[in-house]
Amino acid sequence: MLKQLYIRNYTLIDELDIPFHPGFSVITGETGAGKSIILGALSLLLGQRADSKTIKQGADRCVIEARFDLSRYHLEEFFTQNDIDYDATDCILRRELTAAGKSRAFVNDTPVPLTTIRLLGQQLVDIHSQHQNLLLQEEDFQLGVVDIIARDQQQLADYRMAYQQHVEAQQAVKRLEQEIQAARHDEDYLRFLYDELQQANLTQGLQQQLEQESETLAHVEDIKSAIFNAEQSLTGEGPANAVGLLRESSRSIDAIRDLYPDARELADRLESTYIELADIAREVSSLSCRLDFDPRRLDYVNQQLDTLYSLEQKHHVDSVEELILLRDDIHQKINNIEHSDEALDELRKNAVIALDNANATAAKLTAMRTDAARQVEQEMRSRLAPLGIPNVRFSVAIEPLGQLSPQGADKVSFLFSANTSTPMLPVAEIASGGEIARVMLSLKAMVSSAVLLPTIIFDEIDTGVSGRVAEMMARIMQQMGQADRQIISITHLPQIAALGTHHYRVYKEETAQGTKSRMQQLTADERVAEIAQMLSGTSVTAAAIDNARELLKR
């Protein structure tokens, strides 16, 4: 829960450092004193979009920082997942905004994206402002309340998984249908392309092999001449050929090897060299025998190369290997066309199975919601009757949605009537402003018992009520603050202010530097004066003071 709030250079606040406490606290102050400014700063800290215009005039940046005690709320996993240091008793959230429009967010001095501080903030603080009453018009909000009371999070997660599988199965059917339609439209062309590639007899390394053969055949005469010259030098007629000369040299040195030991190694090396050179000579001679000019073969090779080059250019590839991949891909497409009906039938069967599973899972969810709806009806009637609506009728209507949605197959509506003679209608259509405020407070109280939310702030939840009803609303908030929860109510009603365990006042102060908003925690005597002023207005009477003391005694 919130322990400390620090604000610097935010609109009319130059600096504010205020402690908060567990239980039920109230904030009072005249209209325009700055209560909404403090809420705006807290909303900015919790991830609301930043606006540099909120920086105090003349300042280069504003800073908003809050300290929280998380020891009872099991949030360690969030910090682990986001690689943030976890301190259960002192978690620090900070937001900084510069006049240049730059914004930075920190959790325990670790820089974090705005989405991270927003997700954490949603688990720490719920700010209920008057515009939130409009949520009663939204079906998703009403469905969410029922789901919370049903405690169906695991069943809802199971359903969403089944629903996603159903959606994916339907998409797979549609995608294959489109692919089959497009493929059949292009089937003749695909077969033409495949036949063309198949006739090219493509194999790995074919292009390199043909290019080398073409180069050889185109220069047969030059190659033959070079081989002939080499052959003559190695083994030509007469004693001047290389093999003959080397043989004579080897024989000469070999003849003295016993007479001159230093010549033995040379004799061996000459013998080895002679054997190698003689072998080379035989290889050169065989090259000449294998080489023969065939103009028809050259034409064939060049035609094959022209075919390859043409195919590569046509299909925008650079090698035969890519042509082979393309050929195989086209063949697979043709094969898919030939067997498309079987594949489509299989996908349709899977889609039917997925739909049946999603419907079955949705039915379980509906059953849990139906049970929870009866609980919501009973609890809301018991909560609203003491709040000045003794003849209240409250019903949760669950109707089939007509199709599956990510939230299930149900449409939820809260129906309301304040008396026995008026038919029940959707609560947002029939309830007055004061009745909606009481409905929302009752819903929040009911939901807070099922959700472990550390801090709830009510911004003028008492709109449209007064007297005994206001006191009963305050009692509800007081009870909410007794269950490891922190409730803060911004109010204009003395009946609510008097029941707060802690009381804060927001006021404006005129200084030499201009108007500034201040906030202070009131002492016992200051509370009497503040509540008396709320009771009697500007002129505080003795009767108002006595009345204030009486309210505080309660």
Side-chain angles (χ1 to χ4, degrees), residues 524-541:
D525 290 340
E526 289 170 338
R527 289 193 72 182
V528 172
E530 176 71 5
I531 293 173
Q533 188 171 35
M534 295 172 73
L535 285 165
S536 63
T538 305
S539 178
V540 179
T541 64

Side-chain angles (χ1 to χ4, degrees), residues 189 193 196-197 207 307-327 330:
Y189 182 58
L193 292 179
E196 188 178 47
L197 290 167
Q207 183 173 329
T307 299
L308 295 181
Y309 296 150
S310 177
L311 289 172
E312 289 172 358
Q313 185 176 14
K314 178 177 181 177
H315 294 289
H316 306 290
V317 298
D318 299 319
S319 67
V320 170
E321 285 68 28
E322 290 176 278
L323 286 176
I324 292 172
L325 291 175
L326 179 63
R327 178 199 64 194
I330 293 173

Side-chain angles (χ1 to χ4, degrees), residues 256-309:
I256 62 171
R257 64 185 302 145
D258 294 333
L259 302 175
Y260 187 40
D262 289 348
R264 291 175 182 173
E265 183 182 352
L266 285 175
D268 292 338
R269 289 171 62 190
L270 281 170
E271 175 66 19
S272 176
T273 304
Y274 165 69
I275 294 170
E276 176 66 19
L277 191 60
D279 185 61
I280 291 173
R282 286 191 294 271
E283 287 289 335
V284 170
S285 179
S286 68
L287 282 178
S288 179
C289 295
R290 293 199 302 265
L291 190 62
D292 190 19
F293 177 66
D294 185 351
R296 287 179 299 179
R297 177 61 182 175
L298 179 59
D299 289 342
Y300 171 78
V301 169
N302 288 335
Q303 287 174 6
Q304 286 288 92
L305 285 172
D306 288 343
T307 299
L308 295 181
Y309 296 150

